[in-house]
């Protein structure tokens, strides 16, 4: 079995966990919306750690992109690689963005900056940073920048040369960031990209990880989860997970230490435990992972509908019941969007192929890998 065709069940399960962590974090906002109060302080503060789901996503993405790109058994061309990543992320996101864009247009008109952030995944506008119309889409700006960088590494099949050029460019950007506070530099020279690098490092050491005993993986999983639990109990605060802080390139080193490193430990543990991720329960959670992208993109809208319905019917104002139902609503909506929108779009797009240059058909055909992960 080639790497490109491999379905890593443990990572699919982690994707589901990451999506629900983010959903749980945002579900806490349903409490003041419905009850007027923040609910138990310990829960309100602890739920902030749910934003670490984004960090988990970034580490997983770094691993998967490396395994389907530079480290693939049959390395794809830059064009094929980028097309596959773009079709996996962008079309579904654009479809989900349309209602937000229409509502913004009706309310106050459209913003060119937000349109650019939405459709070109570029959150820098002059001296400021902006989020896409779908607020959680800020993470996709980082994903797309990482995909682009990996595609550049694959250009012409000269991986080492391209990597050296890329490292030089990054060094120049870092040096420029030291003397400039331009918004585009705050975006590109951002410590959050190191989480993708952590995933790449795990991909590089995949064979070594596969040789470790499963018990080592269990210990790593428990250590990562314990770190998150300790941080939840210690009230790490909203500032660590504030998306504006991320986009603005603020002091994110604490986030990397508190969320990024435990995420890397958890992903490493999951990879080691992969041989044991079998059975109906594992497959059930893995199917949730298949829908994790849809859950992530739609959970805020789903929760808004839950809040409106809750207030309309006068349901009990019990904080934990509100959070539970809100999270369940996010899960249900994500699964529905996955089945009705995301799956059909992906199925149709997989039938398309990027146009091959007529002057190099043999080279590109030989470089094209099998089905993507």
């Amino acid at each position: 079995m080639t790497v490109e065709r491999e379905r890593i069940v443990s990572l699919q399960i982690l994707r589901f966990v990451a999506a629900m962590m983010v959903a749980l974090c945002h579900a806490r906002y349903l409490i003041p919306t419905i009850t007027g109060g923040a609910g138990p302080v310990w829960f309100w503060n602890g739920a902030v750690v749910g934003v670490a789901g984004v960090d988990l996503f970034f580490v997983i993405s770094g691993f998967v992109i490396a395994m389907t790109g530079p480290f693939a058994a049959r390395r794809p061309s830059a064009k094929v690689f980028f097309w596959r990543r773009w079709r996996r992320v962008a079309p579904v996101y654009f479809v989900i963005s349309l209602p937000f864009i229409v509502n913004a247009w009706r309310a106050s008109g459209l913003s060119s900056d937000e349109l650019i952030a939405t459709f070109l995944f570029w959150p820098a506008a002059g001296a400021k940073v902006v989020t896409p119309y779908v607020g959680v889409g800020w993470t996709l700006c980082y994903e797309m920048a990482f995909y682009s960088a990996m595609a550049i590494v694959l250009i012409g099949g000269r991986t080492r040369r391209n990597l050296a050029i890329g490292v030089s460019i990054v060094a120049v950007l870092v040096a420029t960031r030291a003397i400039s506070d331009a918004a585009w530099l705050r975006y590109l020279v951002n410590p959050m990209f190191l989480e993708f690098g952590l995933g790449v490092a795990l991909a590089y050491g995949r064979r070594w990880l596969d040789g470790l005993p499963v018990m080592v993986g269990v210990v790593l999983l428990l250590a990562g989860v314990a770190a998150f639990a300790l941080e939840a109990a210690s009230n790490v605060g909203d500032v660590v997970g504030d998306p504006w802080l991320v986009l603005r390139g603020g002091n994110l080193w604490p986030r990397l230490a508190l969320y990024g490193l435990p995420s890397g430990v958890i992903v490493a543990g999951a990879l080691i435990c992969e041989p044991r991720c079998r059975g109906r329960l594992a497959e059930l959670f893995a199917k949730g992972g298949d829908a994790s992208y849809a859950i992530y993109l739609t959970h805020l809208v789903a929760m808004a509908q839950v809040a409106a319905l809750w207030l309309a019917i006068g349901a009990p104002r019990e904080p934990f019941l509100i959070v539970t139902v809100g999270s369940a609503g996010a899960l249900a909506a994500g699964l529905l969007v996955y089945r009705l929108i995301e799956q059909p779009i992906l199925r149709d797009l997989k039938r398309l192929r990027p146009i091959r240059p007529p002057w190099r058909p043999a080279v590109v055909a030989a470089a094209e890998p099998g089905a993507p992960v």
Side-chain angles (χ1 to χ4, degrees):
M1 178 184 291
T2 63
V3 171
E4 291 86 352
R5 295 180 181 275
E6 181 182 5
R7 182 172 188 263
I8 304 178
V9 176
S10 60
L11 293 192
Q12 288 301 100
I13 294 173
L14 276 188
R15 280 177 165 150
F16 174 66
V17 171
M20 294 311 297
M21 284 175 65
V22 176
L24 178 63
C25 173
H26 290 154
R28 66 194 176 119
Y29 291 107
L30 290 174
I31 300 175
T33 300
I34 294 174
T35 69
V41 175
W42 63 269
F43 174 78
W44 181 265
N45 293 334
V48 177
V49 176
V51 300
V54 170
D55 304 78
L56 263 176
F57 273 129
F58 282 1
V59 176
I60 294 170
S61 182
F63 176 88
V64 172
I65 297 310
M67 295 298 288
T68 57
F71 299 159
R74 297 173 60 192
R75 189 177 297 162
S77 67
K79 179 182 61 178
V80 169
F81 170 81
F82 188 80
W83 161 246
R84 285 178 169 171
R85 301 323 307 171
W86 186 90
R87 79 183 181 192
R88 178 65 184 87
V89 171
V92 176
Y93 169 63
F94 293 159
V95 170
I96 293 174
S97 296
L98 289 178
F100 291 84
I101 294 172
V102 171
N103 287 337
W105 173 63
R106 289 178 175 177
S108 57
L110 298 179
S111 162
S112 59
D113 294 339
E114 291 181 81
L115 285 173
I116 290 172
T118 298
F119 290 103
L120 297 182
F121 302 97
W122 184 256
K128 64 179 180 178
V129 292
V130 295
T131 57
Y133 276 107
V134 178
V136 294
W138 69 267
T139 61
L140 301 183
C141 297
Y142 287 88
E143 290 275 357
M144 199 58 66
F146 177 62
Y147 299 164
S148 301
M150 295 301 274
I152 291 173
V153 169
L154 292 170
I155 291 177
R158 303 286 297 275
T159 305
R160 292 185 179 180
R161 179 203 63 184
N162 296 338
L163 184 60
I165 294 174
V167 170
S168 300
I169 293 174
V170 170
V172 171
L173 290 174
V174 171
T176 306
R177 176 69 177 90
I179 60 176
S180 174
D181 195 40
W184 65 274
L185 277 171
R186 295 199 300 271
Y187 161 53
L188 291 178
V189 185
N190 195 304
M192 287 291 285
F193 283 113
L194 294 176
E195 294 184 341
F196 293 107
L198 187 54
V200 173
L202 292 175
Y204 184 78
R206 174 75 189 281
R207 290 185 179 180
W208 179 73
L209 290 174
D210 288 344
L212 294 176
V214 171
M215 184 55 63
V216 174
V218 173
V219 171
L220 291 177
L221 284 172
L222 292 176
V225 172
F228 283 154
L230 181 61
E231 290 156 13
S234 302
N235 183 18
V236 296
D238 276 310
V239 68
V240 176
D242 183 2
W244 280 107
L245 180 65
V246 176
L247 284 171
R248 289 170 178 163
N251 183 18
L252 291 173
W253 297 107
R255 175 167 183 154
L256 292 181
L258 293 170
Y259 296 165
L261 291 180
S263 294
V265 170
I266 289 173
V267 173
L271 290 169
I272 297 171
C273 292
E274 173 63 18
R276 298 295 179 88
C277 292
R278 301 292 182 267
R280 294 183 179 180
L281 184 60
E283 282 298 324
L284 178 63
F285 281 103
K287 288 182 179 179
D290 294 340
S292 60
Y293 185 44
I295 294 171
Y296 177 73
L297 289 179
T298 62
H299 72 277
L300 291 178
V301 175
M303 288 179 185
Q305 300 308 310
V306 168
L309 179 60
W310 202 283
L311 291 172
I313 65 177
R317 299 190 172 188
E318 165 56 41
F320 294 111
L321 180 61
I322 293 171
V323 170
T324 301
V325 174
S327 300
L331 173 60
L335 291 172
L336 190 64
V337 169
Y338 172 69
R339 292 295 300 273
L340 299 182
I341 298 178
E342 185 177 359
Q343 271 192 321
I345 289 176
L346 292 177
R347 182 175 59 247
D348 292 340
L349 287 177
K350 283 181 180 179
R351 297 170 182 168
L352 301 178
R353 300 283 182 180
I355 299 174
R356 296 173 177 174
W359 56 89
R360 292 184 63 195
V363 174
V364 176
E368 184 179 348
V373 173

